Amino acid sequence: MKTDWKKNTSRFLFSQAISLFGSSLVQYAIMWYITLNTQSGVMMMVSIICGILPTFFLSPVAGVGSDRYSRKHLIVIADAGIAVATLALAVIFMLGYRDIWLLFAVSAIRALGTGVQTPAVGAFLPQIVPEDKLTRVNGINNSLQSAITLVSPMVSGVLMSIAAIEVIFFIDVLTAALAIAVMLWLVQVPPHQKALQKQETGYFEDFSTGLSYIRQHRFVLQFFIYAAVFFFLVTPAAFLTPLQVARSFGDQVWRRTAIEIAFSGGMVLGGVLIAAWGGFKNRAYTMTAAAFAIGICTVALGVVPVFWLYLFFMALTGLAIPVFSTPAMVMLQEKVEEDMMGRVFGVYGMISSSVMPLGMLLFGPVSDSVAIEWLLLITGVLVLVQSAFLLFSRTLREAGLPARTG
C-alpha cells in the first residue's frame, strides 16, 4: 500500500517538470550560442557528442546505484551537480571568459547528471504509484515533458533576444534549487528495500548480475532488441524532417517552427490520450497500434505534396509516440523486480539516448545522396513490418497483460 501516493506523485512530477524546464532552456541556449558564434557543423557535432556520450556510458553503471541507494537522493544529487556546473559556467561567463570549450565541458557534466538521474526516475515511480495507476501517471508525465519541449525553445529564444545567456543559466540554477527542495522536503518516500539492506555484493558484481538478468529475462531482452531497432528506424523521421522541409517545401523559418510545434503539440495530446484512455488491456496491443500508426505516418511524410497535410501527419506522429512509450515504460515497471529496476532502466536509458544519434552516422551522410523522401518510405515500411513482431511475439504479448488481472 503506497500511502499518500497522490500527493507524493504530484509533488514529484512538479519537481521533475520544473527541473526539466530549466534544463531545456539551457540546452537550447547552448545550441543557439554555438550556432550563432561559430556557424560550424563540426562544433555542433562536438556539442551533441558531449551531450550524449557521458549519458551513454554512465547510464548502465548508474543503474546499479539506483538499486543500491536511495533513488530519491540520487535524483537530488544529480540535479545539484548539474546546477553547480551551470552556476559555475554563469559566473565564468560573467567574468568575461566565453570560450566554446566551456560549453562543451558543462554539456558533458550535465549529461553525466542525466545518466544518473534517468534510471533513478524510471525506477522511482513504481515506488510511489500503485500498479494500476502507472499508465495514467506515466501518460501525465509524458504530457508535461512534451509541453515543456514545446514551450522551452520559444522561451529560451525570447530570453536570448533580450538578455545575456547567463540569465538563462541562473534561471536553470533556480529551477533546480526549487526541484531539489520539493524532492527533499515534500516527497516523503522511504528508500526501497535493497537500499535499506547492507550491501553484501560489490558494485561491479551487481552490474554483472543486472546484465545477466537482462540476458536471461526473455521479455526484457526481446523488448530491448525491439526498442533498439525501432529507435534506429525512426531516426530519419526524428532528425531529417527539418532538412526535408527546407529542400522540398522551402527554407523559411516559420516552416521549421511549424513542424516542431505540430510534433510537440501532438505529443502533448498523445500523453493526455493515454492517461485518460489507458490503452488496451494488453499493453503490447497498444504499442502495436502506436507503432503501426508511426509507420503509416512516416510513409506519409515521404509522399504528401502539400505542407499543411505534412503538418497533419507530423502531429499524428507526435501523438503516437507517448501512446507507444507509456505502455512500454509501464511494462518494464510492472514486470521487472524492484531490486533490478535501476539496472534495467540504466541499460534502457543507454539504448534510448544513443541509438538515434548513432543512426544519424548512417542516415546523415546517406541523405546527401539519397532523397529523404525515399529514406522515410523505406524506414516507414520497415516500422510497419516490425510492428507485426510485437503482435506475433508470444513473449511480448504475455508481458503486455496487466500484472494483476483480478
Side-chain angles (χ1 to χ4, degrees), residues 21-97:
F21 178 67
S23 294
S24 295
L25 291 182
V26 171
Q27 176 185 339
Y28 284 105
I30 289 176
M31 179 182 69
W32 286 326
Y33 187 90
I34 293 173
T35 300
L36 294 173
N37 286 276
T38 69
Q39 298 185 12
S40 167
V42 173
M43 289 298 179
M44 286 303 301
M45 181 188 71
V46 173
S47 176
I48 292 170
I49 290 173
C50 289
I52 291 174
L53 280 185
T55 302
F56 173 79
F57 287 112
L58 186 60
S59 285
V61 180
V64 179
S66 296
D67 289 334
R68 293 171 66 94
Y69 310 113
S70 167
R71 291 159 185 160
K72 178 176 125 173
H73 291 156
L74 285 175
I75 294 168
V76 167
I77 291 169
D79 262 339
I82 292 171
V84 169
T86 307
L87 177 61
L89 180 63
V91 172
I92 292 171
F93 263 52
M94 289 182 67
L95 293 175
Y97 299 96

Side-chain angles (χ1 to χ4, degrees), residues 1-269:
M1 180 67 180
K2 295 176 171 67
T3 57
D4 296 325
W5 74 268
K6 289 184 179 179
K7 288 183 180 179
N8 278 321
T9 301
S10 60
R11 292 165 180 172
F12 174 70
L13 293 182
F14 171 78
S15 74
Q16 291 304 292
I18 195 68
S19 175
L20 177 62
F21 178 67
S23 294
S24 295
L25 291 182
V26 171
Q27 176 185 339
Y28 284 105
I30 289 176
M31 179 182 69
W32 286 326
Y33 187 90
I34 293 173
T35 300
L36 294 173
N37 286 276
T38 69
Q39 298 185 12
S40 167
V42 173
M43 289 298 179
M44 286 303 301
M45 181 188 71
V46 173
S47 176
I48 292 170
I49 290 173
C50 289
I52 291 174
L53 280 185
T55 302
F56 173 79
F57 287 112
L58 186 60
S59 285
V61 180
V64 179
S66 296
D67 289 334
R68 293 171 66 94
Y69 310 113
S70 167
R71 291 159 185 160
K72 178 176 125 173
H73 291 156
L74 285 175
I75 294 168
V76 167
I77 291 169
D79 262 339
I82 292 171
V84 169
T86 307
L87 177 61
L89 180 63
V91 172
I92 292 171
F93 263 52
M94 289 182 67
L95 293 175
Y97 299 96
R98 293 174 173 259
D99 294 335
I100 295 297
W101 71 265
L102 291 169
L103 297 176
F104 295 156
V106 170
S107 292
I109 294 171
R110 293 174 65 87
L112 288 173
T114 300
V116 173
Q117 193 174 50
T118 300
V121 170
F124 185 69
L125 269 177
Q127 283 184 234
I128 60 177
V129 180
E131 287 180 355
D132 62 337
K133 305 297 183 184
L134 279 171
T135 297
R136 183 168 182 266
V137 171
N138 277 289
I140 292 171
N141 192 31
N142 272 330
S143 288
L144 288 172
Q145 292 180 5
S146 301
I148 290 168
T149 302
L150 177 65
V151 171
S152 55
M154 294 181 280
V155 176
S156 185
V158 170
L159 289 173
M160 286 198 71
S161 67
I162 62 175
I165 191 173
E166 298 95 305
V167 172
I168 298 178
F169 295 156
F170 281 118
I171 290 174
D172 182 43
V173 174
L174 291 175
T175 56
L178 178 57
I180 290 170
V182 171
M183 282 293 292
L184 284 178
W185 289 296
L186 296 182
V187 179
Q188 302 298 324
V189 179
H192 56 287
Q193 191 62 35
K194 183 173 172 60
L196 295 172
Q197 299 170 349
K198 181 181 179 181
Q199 304 300 322
E200 298 179 352
T201 55
Y203 200 91
F204 288 100
E205 183 179 349
D206 278 358
F207 177 69
S208 178
T209 302
L211 294 181
S212 296
Y213 176 86
I214 292 171
R215 286 196 302 268
Q216 295 167 10
H217 200 298
R218 290 184 62 194
F219 153 62
V220 176
L221 181 61
Q222 282 194 24
F223 174 71
F224 280 3
I225 294 172
Y226 179 92
V229 175
F230 178 80
F231 291 143
F232 179 78
L233 292 177
V234 300
T235 298
F239 285 97
L240 294 178
T241 43
L243 180 58
Q244 178 203 10
V245 166
R247 290 177 179 176
S248 302
F249 296 105
D251 60 358
Q252 298 94 333
V253 173
W254 74 266
R255 293 186 188 274
R256 282 171 284 174
T257 304
I259 63 173
E260 293 294 334
I261 292 174
F263 183 78
S264 298
M267 286 191 68
V268 173
L269 293 177

